[in-house]
Amino acid sequence: MAASKKIAVIGGDGIGPEVIEQAVRVADAAVSRHDRVSLEWQRLPWSSAFYKQTGKMMPDDGWDLLQQHDAILLGAIGSPEVPDHVTLHGLLLPLRRRFDLYLNLRPAYLFEGVQSPLRDKAPGSIDMLVYRENTEGEYAPIGGRLYVGAPSEIAVQTAVFTRRGCERVMRAAFEGARQRRRKVTSITKSNAQQFGMVLWDEVFKDVARNYPDVQTHSLLIDAAAMDFVRKPESFDVVVASNLFGDILTDLSAIITGSMGLAASGNINPERAFPSMFEPVHGSAPDIAGKGIANPLAAMLSAGMLLDHLGLGKSARAIRNAVAAVLKAGKPRTPDLGGNATTTAVTDAVLTFL
Ligand SMILES: NC(=O)c1ccc[n+]([C@@H]2O[C@H](COP(=O)([O-])OP(=O)(O)OC[C@H]3O[C@@H](n4cnc5c(N)ncnc54)[C@H](O)[C@@H]3O)[C@@H](O)[C@H]2O)c1
């Protein structure tokens, strides 16, 4: 009998479940054709609706349950009915820390047939891979508020940078660059942030010494924001802190056509915990329930998941089928200028598969 891989599915909120179910269909089809395993999906209803019912984003034994899986596929978390900081700190951010998913891999590629909002960009001319630090930095839950509501109110939010945290994401970025065009750009702000970001720069220099075959650059975040628009083709691998990586990858997503095309993986390279894969986009409340969300980012994320599980043939098949649908020019959802539904796009991907 074929081996099976157990995958936890957290559809989440808004368009999350809509796109994730399509990704599951596509992953099943790819694996049944290209790899000799079966996929066992366990759907977990953790979401803002779950929070409204139970007061928690996930049950107390949720971590144990997740740990019994080979990987996690997540849609998006966030609802206008629950404050974002409650939902984010109730599931997504603790998940990344608890399972030490310290690499957030965010590829950005301009597919043939997709119009970049930037003028005259040829297919494949934008091709970068952002390594975002995912467990510390500006998103560390360190700080507090004092005299809440009073005119004298104070909020303190402390960023946490550790030598180990910087080093491990940078090493991974250099290793990744060796599989690509051998160029790593580090994103910094050490001119203004003289502790955390100066440590970041120093560690980058230390790590770079071990990779003399890789070209390096260090760029201030403000200059990087400009260059992502002005000359995105100059980037290969980019390594950035939690906040900077988060912001820059919305930019890298939109210059490659749509938020609906941007995939990501939250990886624990040591495989001590299941890694988690999700589209970069959020729950898109403005289009939720209309059946028009672009499912391609979720499918590409499922492809990254399969690749992580050693099912490279299926992963490549998904990426090729997505590329073929985009090249064909239709069907496409409204974010890419079409008027097709989520399911129609999935059906087209399945046909190419
Ligand atoms: N990882 C996550 O779960 C995650 C990430 C970002 C935002 N959020 C949450 O999602 C909610 C909405 O946030 P937002 O509006 O800032 O960001 P968003 O990514 O949900 O939406 C931004 C814009 O992009 C469009 N869009 C996004 N994904 C799309 C898709 N697949 N197909 C077509 N169009 C798409 C939306 O319609 C919207 O106009 C908030 O609660 C936020 O906290 C969650």
Side-chain angles (χ1 to χ4, degrees):
M1 213 186 91
S4 77
K5 299 283 183 192
K6 290 178 71 175
I7 303 167
V9 184
I10 306 172
D13 298 311
I15 64 167
E18 299 175 30
V19 293
I20 282 306
E21 285 310 318
Q22 307 306 314
V24 169
R25 283 175 72 199
V26 164
D28 271 335
V31 168
S32 70
R33 209 179 158 86
H34 296 282
D35 282 295
R36 293 173 58 79
V37 299
S38 65
L39 302 176
E40 259 181 66
W41 306 95
Q42 183 177 16
R43 287 165 175 85
L44 303 168
W46 308 343
S47 59
S48 298
F50 186 89
Y51 176 85
K52 282 172 70 185
Q53 275 168 12
T54 65
K56 290 176 181 169
M57 286 300 291
M58 63 188 287
D60 292 335
D61 63 354
W63 303 115
D64 297 334
L65 185 62
L66 284 178
Q67 213 164 341
Q68 293 160 19
H69 293 82
D70 295 300
I72 304 162
L73 184 62
L74 185 137
I77 304 286
S79 156
E81 292 168 28
V82 184
D84 276 344
H85 67 270
V86 172
T87 48
L88 203 61
H89 287 276
L91 178 57
L92 206 54
L93 295 186
L95 172 62
R96 289 171 176 165
R97 286 193 298 268
R98 180 112 180 192
F99 284 176
D100 207 17
L101 308 177
Y102 61 88
L103 292 187
N104 192 347
L105 282 190
R106 297 189 158 191
Y109 183 83
L110 181 60
F111 284 97
E112 187 172 0
V114 177
Q115 179 75 52
S116 168
L118 304 178
R119 204 175 49 205
D120 302 334
K121 295 296 173 202
S125 63
I126 305 176
D127 179 8
M128 62 173 102
L129 180 56
V130 178
Y131 283 70
R132 165 188 173 196
E133 201 294 319
N134 216 21
T135 48
E136 52 175 53
E138 307 87 343
Y139 289 5
I142 303 280
R145 287 174 66 177
L146 198 57
Y147 311 124
V148 175
S152 54
E153 182 166 4
I154 303 170
V156 176
Q157 178 93 43
T158 305
V160 174
F161 288 88
T162 65
R163 182 170 283 278
R164 167 180 169 267
C166 299
E167 194 176 308
R168 60 187 188 171
V169 68
M170 289 169 183
R171 275 192 186 284
F174 276 94
E175 292 294 333
R178 279 189 168 160
Q179 310 301 318
R180 296 173 47 98
R181 303 193 301 279
R182 293 179 183 254
K183 185 170 172 186
V184 178
T185 306
S186 159
I187 309 299
T188 184
K189 191 66 193 173
S190 49
N191 54 348
Q193 299 191 306
Q194 78 264 47
F195 307 118
M197 277 292 147
V198 170
L199 174 65
W200 175 273
D201 286 0
E202 287 172 8
V203 176
F204 185 67
K205 280 195 191 127
D206 288 348
V207 173
R209 269 187 218 111
N210 299 302
Y211 297 88
D213 52 318
V214 177
Q215 206 188 327
T216 60
H217 296 272
S218 189
L219 209 52
L220 294 172
I221 175 71
D222 29 352
M226 181 176 71
D227 281 351
F228 264 47
V229 173
R230 189 172 61 150
K231 44 174 184 176
E233 49 281 278
S234 68
F235 294 96
D236 176 18
V237 166
V238 175
V239 63
S241 66
N242 216 330
L243 175 66
F244 293 168
D246 192 358
I247 296 171
L248 281 180
T249 49
D250 262 34
L251 194 45
S252 62
I254 205 67
I255 59 173
T256 53
S258 169
M259 288 303 295
L261 290 175
S264 79
N266 301 261
I267 316 277
N268 175 258
E270 289 76 25
R271 295 176 188 258
F273 300 97
S275 290
M276 189 265 281
F277 298 81
E278 53 170 342
V280 170
H281 64 71
S283 56
D286 52 337
I287 56 165
K290 295 184 179 164
I292 53 164
N294 188 340
L296 298 179
M299 289 174 197
L300 292 168
S301 306
M304 290 176 75
L305 181 155
L306 297 180
D307 202 32
H308 181 75
L309 296 182
L311 308 174
K313 273 192 200 161
S314 300
R316 276 191 298 282
I318 292 178
R319 192 181 154 83
N320 290 342
V322 166
V325 170
L326 290 171
K327 186 177 173 188
K330 62 178 188 180
R332 48 182 57 186
T333 42
D335 56 304
L336 287 174
N339 56 12
T341 61
T342 308
T343 348
V345 171
T346 309
D347 291 343
V349 173
L350 288 170
T351 306
F352 275 106
L353 265 180

Short mmCIF file of all heavy atoms in Angstrom, two decimals, residues 330-353:
data_model
loop_
_atom_site.label_atom_id
_atom_site.label_comp_id
_atom_site.label_asym_id
_atom_site.label_seq_id
_atom_site.Cartn_x
_atom_site.Cartn_y
_atom_site.Cartn_z
N LYS A 330 -6.55 32.85 -19.88
CA LYS A 330 -7.85 32.66 -19.25
C LYS A 330 -8.03 31.18 -18.90
O LYS A 330 -7.34 30.34 -19.50
CB LYS A 330 -8.98 33.15 -20.16
CG LYS A 330 -9.07 32.41 -21.48
CD LYS A 330 -10.22 32.90 -22.31
CE LYS A 330 -10.35 31.97 -23.50
NZ LYS A 330 -11.39 32.25 -24.42
N PRO A 331 -8.90 30.85 -17.96
CA PRO A 331 -9.69 31.79 -17.17
C PRO A 331 -8.82 32.49 -16.11
O PRO A 331 -7.82 31.92 -15.67
CB PRO A 331 -10.72 30.87 -16.50
CG PRO A 331 -10.03 29.55 -16.38
CD PRO A 331 -9.11 29.44 -17.56
N ARG A 332 -9.24 33.67 -15.73
CA ARG A 332 -8.56 34.33 -14.63
C ARG A 332 -9.55 35.12 -13.78
O ARG A 332 -10.56 35.59 -14.27
CB ARG A 332 -7.38 35.18 -15.09
CG ARG A 332 -7.66 36.09 -16.25
CD ARG A 332 -6.41 36.85 -16.66
NE ARG A 332 -5.31 35.96 -17.01
CZ ARG A 332 -4.08 36.37 -17.31
NH1 ARG A 332 -3.79 37.64 -17.31
NH2 ARG A 332 -3.14 35.51 -17.62
N THR A 333 -9.22 35.21 -12.50
CA THR A 333 -10.10 35.90 -11.55
C THR A 333 -9.95 37.42 -11.69
O THR A 333 -8.99 37.89 -12.31
CB THR A 333 -9.75 35.43 -10.11
OG1 THR A 333 -8.33 35.36 -9.99
CG2 THR A 333 -10.36 34.07 -9.81
N PRO A 334 -10.88 38.20 -11.11
CA PRO A 334 -10.87 39.65 -11.32
C PRO A 334 -9.58 40.36 -10.90
O PRO A 334 -9.20 41.35 -11.53
CB PRO A 334 -12.04 40.14 -10.46
CG PRO A 334 -12.98 38.96 -10.41
CD PRO A 334 -12.10 37.76 -10.40
N ASP A 335 -8.86 39.85 -9.90
CA ASP A 335 -7.60 40.51 -9.50
C ASP A 335 -6.59 40.51 -10.63
O ASP A 335 -5.69 41.34 -10.67
CB ASP A 335 -7.00 39.82 -8.26
CG ASP A 335 -6.78 38.33 -8.49
OD1 ASP A 335 -7.73 37.63 -8.84
OD2 ASP A 335 -5.62 37.88 -8.35
N LEU A 336 -6.75 39.55 -11.59
CA LEU A 336 -5.83 39.50 -12.74
C LEU A 336 -6.53 40.03 -14.00
O LEU A 336 -6.08 39.76 -15.12
CB LEU A 336 -5.35 38.06 -12.97
CG LEU A 336 -4.33 37.53 -11.95
CD1 LEU A 336 -4.03 36.05 -12.19
CD2 LEU A 336 -3.03 38.33 -11.99
N GLY A 337 -7.63 40.73 -13.80
CA GLY A 337 -8.28 41.36 -14.93
C GLY A 337 -9.34 40.52 -15.63
O GLY A 337 -9.87 40.93 -16.66
N GLY A 338 -9.66 39.33 -15.09
CA GLY A 338 -10.67 38.49 -15.72
C GLY A 338 -11.99 38.55 -14.99
O GLY A 338 -12.21 39.45 -14.16
N ASN A 339 -12.89 37.61 -15.33
CA ASN A 339 -14.15 37.57 -14.58
C ASN A 339 -14.53 36.14 -14.20
O ASN A 339 -15.68 35.83 -13.94
CB ASN A 339 -15.28 38.25 -15.37
CG ASN A 339 -15.44 37.62 -16.75
OD1 ASN A 339 -14.87 36.55 -17.00
ND2 ASN A 339 -16.19 38.25 -17.63
N ALA A 340 -13.51 35.27 -14.13
CA ALA A 340 -13.78 33.86 -13.81
C ALA A 340 -13.90 33.66 -12.30
O ALA A 340 -13.45 34.48 -11.51
CB ALA A 340 -12.65 32.99 -14.36
N THR A 341 -14.51 32.53 -11.95
CA THR A 341 -14.65 32.20 -10.53
C THR A 341 -13.43 31.40 -10.05
O THR A 341 -12.63 30.90 -10.86
CB THR A 341 -15.88 31.31 -10.31
OG1 THR A 341 -15.70 30.10 -11.07
CG2 THR A 341 -17.17 32.01 -10.75
N THR A 342 -13.36 31.28 -8.73
CA THR A 342 -12.29 30.50 -8.10
C THR A 342 -12.29 29.06 -8.64
O THR A 342 -11.25 28.50 -8.97
CB THR A 342 -12.54 30.47 -6.57
OG1 THR A 342 -12.71 31.82 -6.13
CG2 THR A 342 -11.40 29.83 -5.82
N THR A 343 -13.50 28.49 -8.74
CA THR A 343 -13.59 27.08 -9.17
C THR A 343 -13.23 26.93 -10.64
O THR A 343 -12.61 25.92 -11.01
CB THR A 343 -15.03 26.54 -8.98
OG1 THR A 343 -15.76 27.45 -8.19
CG2 THR A 343 -15.05 25.18 -8.36
N ALA A 344 -13.61 27.89 -11.47
CA ALA A 344 -13.30 27.78 -12.90
C ALA A 344 -11.78 27.77 -13.11
O ALA A 344 -11.25 27.01 -13.93
CB ALA A 344 -13.94 28.92 -13.68
N VAL A 345 -11.07 28.61 -12.34
CA VAL A 345 -9.61 28.64 -12.46
C VAL A 345 -9.03 27.31 -12.00
O VAL A 345 -8.13 26.74 -12.64
CB VAL A 345 -9.02 29.82 -11.64
CG1 VAL A 345 -7.50 29.74 -11.57
CG2 VAL A 345 -9.46 31.15 -12.25
N THR A 346 -9.57 26.77 -10.92
CA THR A 346 -9.09 25.47 -10.44
C THR A 346 -9.32 24.38 -11.48
O THR A 346 -8.44 23.54 -11.74
CB THR A 346 -9.80 25.07 -9.13
OG1 THR A 346 -9.71 26.17 -8.24
CG2 THR A 346 -9.17 23.85 -8.50
N ASP A 347 -10.50 24.39 -12.08
CA ASP A 347 -10.80 23.38 -13.10
C ASP A 347 -9.77 23.45 -14.24
O ASP A 347 -9.33 22.42 -14.75
CB ASP A 347 -12.22 23.58 -13.65
CG ASP A 347 -13.28 23.25 -12.60
OD1 ASP A 347 -12.93 22.58 -11.60
OD2 ASP A 347 -14.44 23.68 -12.76
N ALA A 348 -9.39 24.67 -14.61
CA ALA A 348 -8.41 24.83 -15.68
C ALA A 348 -7.05 24.26 -15.26
O ALA A 348 -6.37 23.58 -16.03
CB ALA A 348 -8.27 26.31 -16.06
N VAL A 349 -6.66 24.52 -14.01
CA VAL A 349 -5.39 23.97 -13.51
C VAL A 349 -5.46 22.45 -13.53
O VAL A 349 -4.50 21.77 -13.95
CB VAL A 349 -5.08 24.50 -12.09
CG1 VAL A 349 -3.86 23.80 -11.50
CG2 VAL A 349 -4.86 26.01 -12.11
N LEU A 350 -6.59 21.89 -13.12
CA LEU A 350 -6.75 20.43 -13.09
C LEU A 350 -6.64 19.85 -14.51
O LEU A 350 -6.07 18.79 -14.72
CB LEU A 350 -8.08 20.05 -12.45
CG LEU A 350 -8.14 20.27 -10.92
CD1 LEU A 350 -9.56 20.10 -10.40
CD2 LEU A 350 -7.20 19.31 -10.20
N THR A 351 -7.19 20.57 -15.48
CA THR A 351 -7.11 20.10 -16.86
C THR A 351 -5.65 20.02 -17.31
O THR A 351 -5.21 19.05 -17.90
CB THR A 351 -7.89 21.06 -17.79
OG1 THR A 351 -9.21 21.18 -17.27
CG2 THR A 351 -7.92 20.57 -19.21
N PHE A 352 -4.88 21.06 -17.00
CA PHE A 352 -3.45 21.05 -17.39
C PHE A 352 -2.68 19.97 -16.64
O PHE A 352 -1.74 19.38 -17.16
CB PHE A 352 -2.82 22.41 -17.17
CG PHE A 352 -3.01 23.35 -18.33
CD1 PHE A 352 -3.89 24.40 -18.28
CD2 PHE A 352 -2.30 23.16 -19.51
CE1 PHE A 352 -4.09 25.26 -19.34
CE2 PHE A 352 -2.47 24.01 -20.59
CZ PHE A 352 -3.38 25.07 -20.52
N LEU A 353 -3.08 19.70 -15.39
CA LEU A 353 -2.39 18.66 -14.61
C LEU A 353 -2.55 17.30 -15.27
O LEU A 353 -1.70 16.46 -15.18
CB LEU A 353 -2.99 18.59 -13.20
CG LEU A 353 -2.30 19.38 -12.11
CD1 LEU A 353 -3.04 19.19 -10.79
CD2 LEU A 353 -0.85 18.95 -11.92
#
